[in-house]
Amino acid sequence: MLAQVVTILLDGLNYASFLFIVSVGLTIVFGVLKILNVAHGAFYAWGAYAAAFSITQAGELGYPDWIGFLLIFASSIIVGLVLGTILERLVLSRMYAQDEVLIALATFGVFLCLEDAILLVFGVDPYFAYQPMAVLGNVVIGGVFRDVYSLTLFALALVVAVSCWWVLTKTKWGKLIAVVIYDREISQAMGINVSAVYLIVFIIGAALGALGGAYVAPTTSVAPGFGIDVIVLSFAVVVIGGMGSIPGALIGSILVGVLRAVAVHQFPELELFVVFAVMAGVLIVRPEGLFAPPKARTI
Amino acid sequence: MNQILKNDATIRWAVLGFFVLAVAGYFMEAWVQNNIMFGLARGLAVLGLMVLWRTGLISFGHALYFGIGAYVVGLVDRNFGISDIFLRLFLAVGASAFVGFFLGFILRKYRGIFFAMLNLAFSMVLYGILVKVESLGSTDGFSVSQTTILGWTPENKYALFAAIVFVCAVGAILVQCYLKTALGTLTTAIRDNELRVEYLGFSVARAIHLKYIMSAGLAGASGALLAMALGQVDPDSMVNWPVSGELVFITVMAGPGSVIAPFLGGVAFEFLRTYAFELAPEAWQLIVGATLLGIIFFLPMGLWSLLERIWKRRGVSS
Amino acid sequence: MTAVPALRVTDLCKSFSGIMAANNLNVEAADGEIIGIIGANGAGKTVFVNMITGYLKPTSGKIEFQGKDITGIEPRNATHVGVCRSFQVSQVFMSMTVEENLLTALSICKQAGRAMLQSPRAPDLLIECEKLMELYNITGHRDQVASTLSQGVRKLLDIAMAVVSNPKILLLDEPTSGVSVEEKFGIMDIVIQALREQGATVLFVEHDMEIVERYVDRVLAFYQGEIICDAPPAEALINPQVIEYVIGGEHAPNMNASEDAIHA
């Protein structure tokens, strides 16, 4: 009994941490740029592929296994920087005046492109980058056997959450972003380089998406179609918490993570159902989400 | 209503176009026939999305109704042996419109990204159920037996092709009639200014609800026809979120200009996919995605606006 | 016994998180009366209009139309009983032409029965549309898309769309705001004449005292959510309170200038 509760709890937290890292990027981008980025799922997949590829390469070249951790972060940053810049400059920066749903559709187009670009670059065969997981070994918690690697995911999520909170509330940068969110035109008139803020925020969002994929890569096989499920799941998280809210993404991830863990262990046929039922429920009862950021008056 | 039927140029062109297509289909190679059949079937769902789009609403979850239509066909076939195309269609449209009627009470209050997302959530709920329920075939789905037409079992696929052309023509004409009525002009009016519509004395929520039910029914018919054309239903190609994305994609690609556009868009999409796959089996999505971006940037009113432009230029020069 | 007034507002209050935007308003308006509503920004004029037409629900009080309680009615039902309005910012269908705007408006408000299933280009609607365009002097703009119209013409279209259902009471929210000085009187001449012909009761919010003086039978002066004066214009515009809180607030520089001129 206890073992089962511990398992569910650990699974739930593990899944929640993973969801948080992926969705926090999505929610930041929505909050600042007002864009629902479907291509976020592709950043996630690219991060996973880039990490898995470099880790297996490093393994073949005889580098020590712990180098994988560096590669995970390096690949997320590179993926975020390269793909984020390309997408923001080439596609999004030309669309900010358009309808938000149409922009979302354009990012769907980008998603399709990036999905296949992965296959062109990395091939169709799956990757197994187990090395970082092997380095850390296993541990027993409350009678439950666990790999240490998935526990570090929890720490990583914590670090991401704290640094987001710190940047947004304690730094000049955070204030700048708050101003841009509140009124884009006035910020522009005040001499803030809104275009640069958008680009940087988008790159950070993309890098966080990639980090989610890169960090998960060692725990599973990285194969085609890696980003498809993640995108709707992170949509669910972001909608539940409130689109654009970071505490919302945190609560949303924990809720979805734990619910899913309970479902997987107790009612396996409800695994996906429960996530989206909660998403629909939240949209019906509180469309702005549980933690909606304040909105400027429109009328 | 009669007035509209008699005097509308679009309806005349639609009747002519679909009739020519039905005849031409007889002489087509099998793969061409198939592509057109799939494209037209999808076009029905796109037609409904177009009506919503003209009202200013985009749904990222119409795979819900598409899937309901498809699975109703599969289930009535498997459980009751119902094989007649029209009976299957009737049940599929009924079921999806019924669900649309109920969800419409909630969705009619939503706009913009919230409308898109709530639809997505509902469609993913159905997906979540379908992939896990063994008796519904879970991830593999199940097959649909051959379609009969009013008691007659056709020997080749052409009969189904012609029937689908017929159903699509009826759908296009009905929607065109609707758009020409005062109720139908409420599409652009609502997109332009909901406040004014309310103050003119009409409930915007009610108007949107009606359009929503209509789009649900059309998506149901679309899924039903596709299930019959493919002879198979499964969650990933009928209910998962990329299906909704594809439908919205075709809507934007076709453009809001005419009730014929969705069918053109559907067929164009099918051929785009086939050729892209032939050209680059590992990168067909890339070609499709790039096309979508190209259309959003360079042809915001879709393929139909391109045709209109060519049409007008010819009219001027001759 | 006197006749039932077209509009009777009794003890109407509206508070927004403790702030009284409308405080015990009491107004009566007779059939065919034209009433000007004046007051500085934030005095509660638009809140008053919004409550009568159902856009805002009053906190307390009662609104009666021809003796019938219409407090807290939905905007569309206000239209059905015969209470219509125009807007400070013109609310028209921007992507449609002037004619399409009016035809759509006409077909929506004639929705009773099966009319919604008719084409909006039905002969009777076309005739009515023609009449309206004539009446509001916008026939020349028939095929112009609304988004390309000048503010003044768009305002006329906005008002024409507000009267398609032949309202008994019409509330105009700043009919001349955003309109050029040259256009102002032209527009008001057209509007007031058209409305007098229809015999509607008109309440309009206005900042321009010249227009108030010229067109209205009665003035309601608002200050901080209260009506501080309800009198004919000749009387109201020399009321010291009105001068201090309403006119003074708006035209202070001008008045000082003229005073200076007198002293000089």
Side-chain angles (χ1 to χ4, degrees):
Chain A
M1 182 58 205
L2 178 71
Q4 194 163 28
V5 171
V6 172
T7 309
I8 290 177
L9 221 58
L10 286 175
D11 272 3
L13 278 181
N14 185 32
Y15 199 60
S17 314
F18 154 72
L19 281 176
F20 176 72
I21 297 168
V22 179
S23 5
V24 78
L26 192 68
T27 212
I28 289 174
V29 168
F30 186 86
V32 180
L33 285 77
K34 307 281 178 285
I35 283 177
L36 185 68
N37 183 20
V38 182
H40 201 71
F43 295 150
Y44 167 86
W46 268 84
Y49 263 97
F53 175 78
S54 53
I55 290 169
T56 36
Q57 287 296 313
E60 275 170 29
L61 292 172
Y63 286 101
D65 284 352
W66 57 263
I67 206 95
F69 286 96
L70 294 182
L71 292 172
I72 284 171
F73 289 102
S75 21
S76 338
I77 291 168
I78 292 169
V79 166
L81 213 55
V82 175
L83 293 185
T85 310
I86 294 176
L87 176 54
E88 207 277 340
R89 287 289 106 149
L90 235 55
V91 180
L92 300 178
S93 61
R94 294 151 193 253
M95 294 194 77
Y96 288 126
Q98 304 249 30
D99 180 60
E100 54 188 359
V101 188
L102 199 65
I103 303 181
L105 187 65
T107 62
F108 175 60
V110 174
F111 172 80
L112 292 177
C113 291
L114 287 178
E115 276 282 297
D116 269 9
I118 286 181
L119 305 186
L120 292 179
V121 173
F122 298 104
V124 287
D125 298 325
Y127 286 84
F128 301 94
Y130 55 88
Q131 287 90 340
M133 206 166 158
V135 172
L136 294 181
N138 296 307
V139 70
V140 177
I141 301 173
V144 180
F145 202 62
R146 277 270 144 178
D147 60 277
V148 179
Y149 186 83
S150 15
L151 297 175
T152 59
L153 189 62
F154 183 62
L156 181 66
L158 220 57
V159 170
V160 169
V162 170
S163 22
C164 282
W165 169 81
W166 184 75
V167 169
L168 288 175
T169 56
K170 300 283 167 191
T171 65
K172 207 178 125 196
W173 244 91
K175 289 193 186 98
L176 201 66
I177 290 174
V179 172
V180 172
I181 291 175
Y182 192 74
D183 196 316
R184 187 186 164 186
E185 271 153 36
I186 291 178
S187 335
Q188 214 144 21
M190 278 162 52
I192 296 173
N193 188 345
V194 172
S195 156
V197 172
Y198 276 18
L199 177 61
I200 292 168
V201 168
F202 193 78
I203 288 174
I204 292 171
L208 284 169
L211 179 62
Y215 213 82
V216 163
T219 64
T220 174
S221 74
V222 179
F226 201 65
I228 291 195
D229 297 335
V230 169
I231 187 64
V232 270
L233 283 170
S234 49
F235 275 8
V237 166
V238 166
V239 164
I240 288 169
M243 288 193 262
S245 154
I246 291 175
L250 192 65
I251 299 293
S253 320
I254 293 173
L255 198 63
V256 170
V258 172
L259 273 176
R260 183 176 171 274
V262 172
V264 166
H265 290 282
Q266 302 292 322
F267 319 96
E269 49 310 324
L270 296 181
E271 183 190 340
L272 275 174
F273 169 84
V274 76
V275 173
F276 294 104
V278 170
M279 175 183 176
V282 168
L283 272 171
I284 291 167
V285 181
R286 261 185 85 95
E288 30 348 300
L290 300 177
F291 281 82
K295 238 191 211 158
R297 223 177 67 147
T298 47
I299 304 171
Chain B
M1 201 79 182
N2 275 335
Q3 282 289 312
I4 295 168
L5 260 176
K6 257 181 259 166
N7 295 330
D8 193 82
T10 309
I11 291 180
R12 261 177 275 151
W13 282 110
V15 171
L16 186 71
F18 280 113
F19 180 73
V20 169
L21 188 65
V23 175
Y26 189 76
F27 305 99
M28 284 170 187
E29 285 181 56
W31 74 273
V32 179
Q33 214 183 55
N34 268 331
N35 267 352
I36 293 179
M37 198 153 68
F38 300 153
L40 291 179
R42 276 218 176 74
L44 268 182
V46 174
L47 187 62
L49 288 180
M50 185 190 82
V51 173
L52 285 180
W53 190 24
R54 283 193 181 190
T55 319
L57 296 167
I58 294 182
S59 158
F60 280 167
H62 263 50
L64 170 66
Y65 304 106
F66 193 78
I68 290 174
Y71 269 80
V72 163
V73 167
L75 287 174
V76 298
D77 172 52
R78 198 182 65 181
N79 297 348
F80 308 107
I82 292 174
S83 66
D84 184 72
I85 179 169
F86 295 110
L87 196 52
R88 281 174 170 181
L89 258 181
F90 176 77
L91 294 169
V93 171
S96 50
F98 186 70
V99 175
F101 170 72
F102 275 104
L103 296 184
F105 282 106
I106 302 166
L107 279 155
R108 66 190 202 174
K109 290 182 232 141
Y110 290 73
R111 302 291 181 272
I113 209 87
F114 293 104
F115 181 81
M117 291 302 258
L118 187 52
N119 273 295
L120 175 72
F122 284 136
S123 76
M124 289 307 288
V125 165
L126 179 68
Y127 177 75
I129 295 171
L130 288 178
V131 290
K132 292 289 176 185
V133 177
E134 216 56 58
S135 60
L136 291 174
S138 66
T139 48
D140 294 333
F142 54 93
S143 64
V144 177
S145 73
Q146 206 201 351
T147 308
T148 59
I149 300 170
L150 304 174
W152 166 57
T153 310
E155 279 144 33
N156 55 24
K157 272 223 152 164
Y158 173 71
L160 185 61
F161 175 91
I164 288 179
V165 171
F166 172 73
V167 172
C168 289
V170 171
I173 291 166
L174 285 178
V175 172
Q176 175 69 8
C177 286
Y178 165 79
L179 287 174
K180 285 287 159 185
T181 62
L183 201 59
T185 54
L186 270 177
T187 46
T188 327
I190 289 173
R191 191 195 60 206
D192 273 9
N193 200 327
E194 287 191 19
L195 192 64
R196 172 54 88 189
V197 174
E198 278 290 328
Y199 271 104
L200 283 168
F202 202 88
S203 160
V204 170
R206 223 176 81 199
I208 287 181
H209 198 166
L210 191 67
K211 288 169 216 302
Y212 190 75
I213 297 170
M214 204 164 90
S215 71
L218 283 165
S222 173
L225 290 182
L226 200 72
M228 290 186 254
L230 285 169
Q232 145 93 24
V233 293
D234 69 279
D236 270 308
S237 62
M238 279 158 173
V239 197
N240 205 359
W241 71 268
V243 179
S244 300
E246 248 167 44
L247 292 176
V248 178
F249 173 178
I250 302 172
T251 312
V252 171
M253 182 165 88
S258 160
V259 292
I260 304 172
F263 300 99
L264 219 66
V267 172
F269 177 76
E270 220 54 55
F271 279 99
L272 172 69
R273 194 152 65 168
T274 309
Y275 280 118
F277 196 78
E278 216 156 282
L279 197 70
E282 276 168 32
W284 67 272
Q285 286 198 78
L286 195 137
I287 298 172
V288 171
T291 312
L292 175 59
L293 285 174
I295 282 173
I296 290 176
F297 278 117
F298 303 114
L299 212 56
M301 299 305 278
L303 290 176
W304 187 257
S305 67
L306 194 68
L307 284 185
E308 268 181 339
R309 236 179 285 167
I310 296 168
W311 195 267
K312 271 187 194 143
R313 202 168 297 159
R314 256 208 209 137
V316 170
S317 63
S318 64
Chain C
M1 213 180 99
T2 48
V4 181
L7 178 73
R8 176 190 279 154
V9 173
T10 326
D11 299 334
L12 197 64
C13 294
K14 176 75 189 176
S15 72
F16 292 107
S17 45
I19 298 161
M20 297 302 282
N23 198 356
N24 268 329
L25 304 180
N26 286 288
V27 177
E28 267 184 31
D31 278 331
E33 211 176 358
I34 295 186
I35 296 173
I37 299 174
I38 61 174
N41 287 331
K45 308 178 301 278
T46 299
V47 170
F48 176 67
V49 171
N50 282 347
M51 280 194 288
I52 293 178
T53 55
Y55 190 73
L56 289 175
K57 307 266 172 274
T59 313
S60 65
K62 199 168 173 189
I63 303 165
E64 282 163 291
F65 166 72
Q66 294 181 341
K68 197 174 132 198
D69 188 355
I70 58 160
T71 319
I73 196 171
E74 288 287 322
R76 60 172 178 280
N77 294 330
T79 304
H80 289 161
V81 299
V83 180
C84 293
R85 70 174 293 185
S86 78
F87 299 86
Q88 194 173 348
V89 178
S90 301
Q91 302 289 335
V92 299
F93 303 126
M94 283 294 193
S95 69
M96 301 186 190
T97 65
V98 169
E99 189 183 33
E100 286 166 351
N101 262 286
L102 285 171
L103 284 174
T104 307
L106 282 164
S107 57
I108 293 175
C109 81
K110 301 254 179 299
Q111 58 176 301
R114 306 174 55 83
M116 284 308 275
L117 293 178
Q118 263 179 16
S119 164
R121 297 200 148 270
D124 54 323
L125 294 186
L126 282 169
I127 292 168
E128 256 185 87
C129 174
E130 210 62 43
K131 260 197 238 159
L132 268 173
M133 287 196 287
E134 196 82 25
L135 204 55
Y136 285 87
N137 202 19
I138 46 177
T139 317
H141 300 278
R142 175 201 302 265
D143 294 321
Q144 208 178 332
V145 176
S147 58
T148 65
L149 293 172
S150 77
Q151 288 285 358
V153 179
R154 205 183 290 163
K155 212 84 202 194
L156 283 173
L157 176 60
D158 185 61
I159 297 169
M161 286 171 79
V163 301
V164 286
S165 54
N166 292 320
K168 306 286 188 315
I169 296 181
L170 187 66
L171 294 103
L172 305 175
D173 195 355
E174 303 201 19
T176 63
S177 78
V179 175
S180 69
V181 184
E182 304 87 69
E183 280 179 306
K184 267 190 179 177
F185 287 103
I187 286 183
M188 287 310 289
D189 281 344
I190 295 168
V191 170
I192 296 294
Q193 201 196 336
L195 291 173
R196 280 218 196 271
E197 268 172 43
Q198 293 182 338
T201 304
V202 181
L203 289 93
F204 72 91
V205 176
E206 186 55 67
H207 280 297
D208 190 327
M209 294 308 143
E210 281 182 71
I211 287 183
V212 172
E213 217 169 347
R214 188 149 150 187
Y215 297 104
V216 309
D217 303 327
R218 226 168 92 204
V219 171
L220 296 178
F222 277 69
Y223 177 67
Q224 293 191 343
E226 289 180 41
I227 295 175
I228 54 169
C229 177
D230 178 353
E235 201 179 306
L237 295 183
I238 54 165
N239 179 315
Q241 266 193 312
V242 173
I243 291 176
E244 188 180 346
Y245 295 129
V246 182
I247 307 175
E250 298 257 320
H251 297 283
N254 272 340
M255 302 244 322
N256 290 341
S258 54
E259 264 178 35
D260 287 347
I262 292 165
H263 287 296

